[in-house]
Amino acid sequence: MKKEYIIITILIVIILIFCLLIITTLNNQSNSNGKSYRETIANNSDEPGSVEVIKNIGNPNSKKIAYVVGMHPLEHLTHETLVEILPNMSNLNYCYDIYVINITEDVGYYGDGLDNYENPGRQNGQNLAYKYVYPEIVNGDYELAVDVHSNIGAYDFKTFVFCPLKECMGAEYADNVSQNCENITYYAPQSTTSGPYLTIPLNENGIPAFYFEEYSFAPQYEKDRHMLELINAVDNLNLN
């Protein structure tokens, strides 16, 4: 009788251990496939727009990367392309947050005759980026930030990545991305209006950051293809 009691006790312990292993496995699978969600981080009536963040895209148990869209409102088609594609991708290596700047005042339009330094919509976006997005990223335990833009074709290349600072991790990551993309090159314009509001201070404060530039008037299928190239190259970076 005593021997039977010992055997039953051992079997119960084994069953309990097995059940705990199953529960742990299911919890880990649930955590690694967590759902993304949207938060508002700035929506003040005194501001020329708002700032939201789509969080927890990809693998929430991995390193974090931030994307930023909307700093320059006229470039919205490229911003919308990222927001449409990235949250719907599966089997991503890293965890992604997308910071979305929504400008509502002085949006402007192409051909209004204003240069980059005069366009109030661009400046509104840059101010919101520095005031709200920059502190979130610099204090948010991110390994990398990618600022998404588009251009009207005035540069030597239409689709490219670059970092406004040389000899930093942001520049190294951007160069690595370009080497692993068929249609995205590394090209550094002489100047950028938005650098001082996000990518430069991020790099200077320990968060590697670089730009992605798309051609504003490219067909949507090309924007989609280039964005997929960017996302996959970033997702396969060896982050230090």
Side-chain angles (χ1 to χ4, degrees):
M1 187 71 178
K2 187 176 180 179
K3 183 182 292 185
E4 292 177 352
Y5 176 79
I6 294 174
I7 293 173
I8 292 172
T9 303
I10 292 173
L11 289 174
I12 291 173
V13 172
I14 292 173
I15 292 171
L16 288 173
I17 293 173
F18 183 70
C19 290
L20 287 172
L21 289 173
I22 292 175
I23 292 171
T24 301
T25 301
L26 290 174
N27 285 336
N28 287 337
Q29 289 177 349
S30 176
N31 289 335
S32 65
N33 295 291
K35 293 182 179 180
S36 61
Y37 57 96
R38 187 183 290 255
E39 285 184 356
T40 299
I41 60 175
N43 191 19
N44 190 325
S45 60
D46 295 330
E47 300 284 11
S50 62
V51 181
E52 300 174 286
V53 56
I54 306 171
K55 306 193 76 170
N56 208 44
I57 300 167
N59 181 3
N61 296 320
S62 186
K63 295 178 179 180
K64 291 170 56 179
I65 296 175
Y67 278 93
V68 182
V69 299
M71 189 184 296
H72 295 157
L74 295 186
E75 302 165 12
H76 64 92
L77 292 178
T78 300
H79 306 154
E80 292 162 7
T81 301
L82 175 73
V83 174
E84 176 66 26
I85 291 177
L86 181 57
N88 293 306
M89 293 185 67
S90 58
N91 300 317
L92 293 167
N93 294 318
Y94 297 122
C95 182
Y96 297 91
D97 294 345
I98 305 176
Y99 288 86
V100 184
I101 301 170
N102 304 298
I103 299 302
T104 55
E105 295 183 15
D106 300 315
V107 174
Y109 58 92
Y110 283 129
D112 59 13
L114 299 176
D115 66 24
N116 287 341
Y117 296 93
E118 296 173 333
N119 191 306
R122 291 170 64 95
Q123 189 59 54
N124 286 339
Q126 292 169 176
N127 290 340
L128 287 178
Y130 187 73
K131 185 174 181 179
Y132 294 106
V133 179
Y134 166 66
E136 289 279 335
I137 295 178
V138 80
N139 296 311
D141 195 31
Y142 291 97
E143 304 290 333
L144 172 66
V146 182
D147 188 9
V148 176
H149 290 261
S150 65
N151 63 85
I152 60 174
Y155 299 120
D156 293 341
F157 296 90
K158 294 179 178 179
T159 306
F160 56 93
V161 290
F162 77 100
C163 178
L165 296 179
K166 298 179 180 179
E167 298 181 359
C168 65
M169 286 306 304
E172 290 187 26
Y173 286 146
D175 184 62
N176 188 295
V177 165
S178 70
Q179 292 181 31
N180 288 281
C181 291
E182 180 181 355
N183 298 290
I184 301 173
T185 190
Y186 189 100
Y187 166 73
Q190 291 185 347
S191 64
T192 170
T193 63
S194 57
Y197 297 91
L198 191 66
T199 54
I200 290 177
L202 284 176
N203 278 292
E204 290 178 339
N205 286 277
I207 309 296
F210 66 83
Y211 287 94
F212 168 68
E213 284 273 357
E214 174 62 285
Y215 179 45
S216 295
F217 306 117
Q220 188 58 48
Y221 74 88
E222 285 190 5
K223 288 186 174 74
D224 293 344
R225 182 177 63 189
H226 298 164
M227 193 62 71
L228 283 169
E229 286 187 26
L230 173 72
I231 292 170
N232 286 322
V234 168
D235 198 53
N236 284 287
L237 285 171
N238 182 16
L239 298 177
N240 293 331

